[in-house]
Amino acid sequence: MAGGSVLGTVVWGFLQGLRGAPAAHAGPPLPVSLAIGLAATAFAALIVYYFRRNANSVERNASWRALLQPSTWIWMATAVIALLTFSALADKLSLSLGIDATPTNQVLGDPLRAQPWLWMGFAVLIAPAYEELLFRRVLFGRLWAAGRPWLGLVLSSIAFALVHEPPGLGAGRGWGVLVLWSVYATMGAIFAWIYRRTGSLWTPYLAHAGNNLVACLALMAGV
């Protein structure tokens, strides 16, 4: 993922240089950065999925059957409610302590209001698909299959948090970074748990999409 992001940025700068753009030395604009990040995540997720955790027909059929169970949808709803509640509590705690815990995705506010369908499609449908494939199916799923689900839950959740708020690169600063990491790590742990509980990757994907949808609506409303 890191290599793909760096390569994408270098290619963008190279193309800007060929065009003779005066700002070729500057970083790419937000839409280009997000597209590069999505492409890097997609490449990493699909490659490791294909070679390490490619689902067979039995697993796919079981996943679809699990999706039809009422308990699966209860787990999805419970996960979204738990995440929103934890995020709200973390935000209130940060404000009361004077900690800046501004998430990096806060920059999506203006683009969401300008082109809501484009950015909501990216944040709600596309990004969760690749992230669940990589962090839950591959990273967590590999250790789950090896008989170490709790180790997989911890490691995949830490990786999930670090990717969303890279040290020194995100919007958060100081103790705020730790708050954001705790929120994202909790999110990753809950998604891993409901994946294991239901046996269907659709469960964390839809819960992830629902959480992102609420977050996008809040950003559009300026909350």
Side-chain angles (χ1 to χ4, degrees):
M1 289 176 64
S5 296
V6 171
L7 178 61
T9 304
V10 169
V11 170
W12 179 86
F14 180 74
L15 294 176
Q16 290 295 101
L18 290 179
R19 291 177 55 238
H25 63 281
L30 178 61
V32 176
S33 295
L34 290 175
I36 291 172
L38 179 62
T41 304
F43 177 76
L46 294 174
I47 288 295
V48 294
Y49 169 71
Y50 180 79
F51 286 107
R52 298 299 297 170
R53 293 294 295 153
N54 193 5
N56 55 42
S57 59
V58 175
E59 290 176 309
R60 284 192 290 268
N61 290 334
S63 179
W64 282 111
R65 287 196 302 269
L67 185 61
L68 300 178
Q69 299 295 322
S71 59
T72 298
W73 293 89
I74 293 175
W75 278 108
M76 287 182 203
T78 302
V80 173
I81 293 172
L83 287 172
L84 294 176
T85 302
F86 183 77
S87 297
L89 291 175
D91 186 54
K92 288 184 177 181
L93 178 62
S94 299
L95 290 175
S96 65
L97 296 177
I99 296 174
D100 180 12
T102 304
T104 302
N105 60 18
Q106 197 75 22
V107 299
L108 286 176
D110 291 336
L112 272 168
R113 286 184 283 272
Q115 298 175 303
W117 295 113
L118 172 64
W119 294 107
M120 286 184 70
F122 168 84
V124 176
L125 300 177
I126 301 176
Y130 291 137
E131 289 177 5
E132 292 308 310
L133 198 63
L134 179 60
F135 294 104
R136 252 61 68 183
R137 174 64 190 176
V138 177
L139 299 181
F140 169 69
R142 186 66 187 86
L143 286 165
W144 178 11
R148 297 186 176 184
W150 290 108
L151 178 61
L153 184 146
V154 171
L155 295 181
S156 64
S157 299
I158 292 174
F160 185 74
L162 293 177
V163 166
H164 281 81
E165 290 293 334
L169 300 178
R173 291 293 180 269
W175 290 103
V177 177
L178 296 180
V179 174
L180 293 170
W181 282 347
S182 69
V183 171
Y184 282 115
T186 300
M187 185 183 299
I190 290 177
F191 290 154
W193 170 255
I194 61 175
Y195 174 34
R196 184 170 186 239
R197 183 67 179 76
T198 63
S200 175
L201 192 64
W202 285 106
T203 311
Y205 168 68
L206 292 175
H208 195 160
N211 179 80
N212 285 12
L213 175 61
V214 174
C216 286
L217 293 176
L219 283 173
M220 291 175 64
V223 177

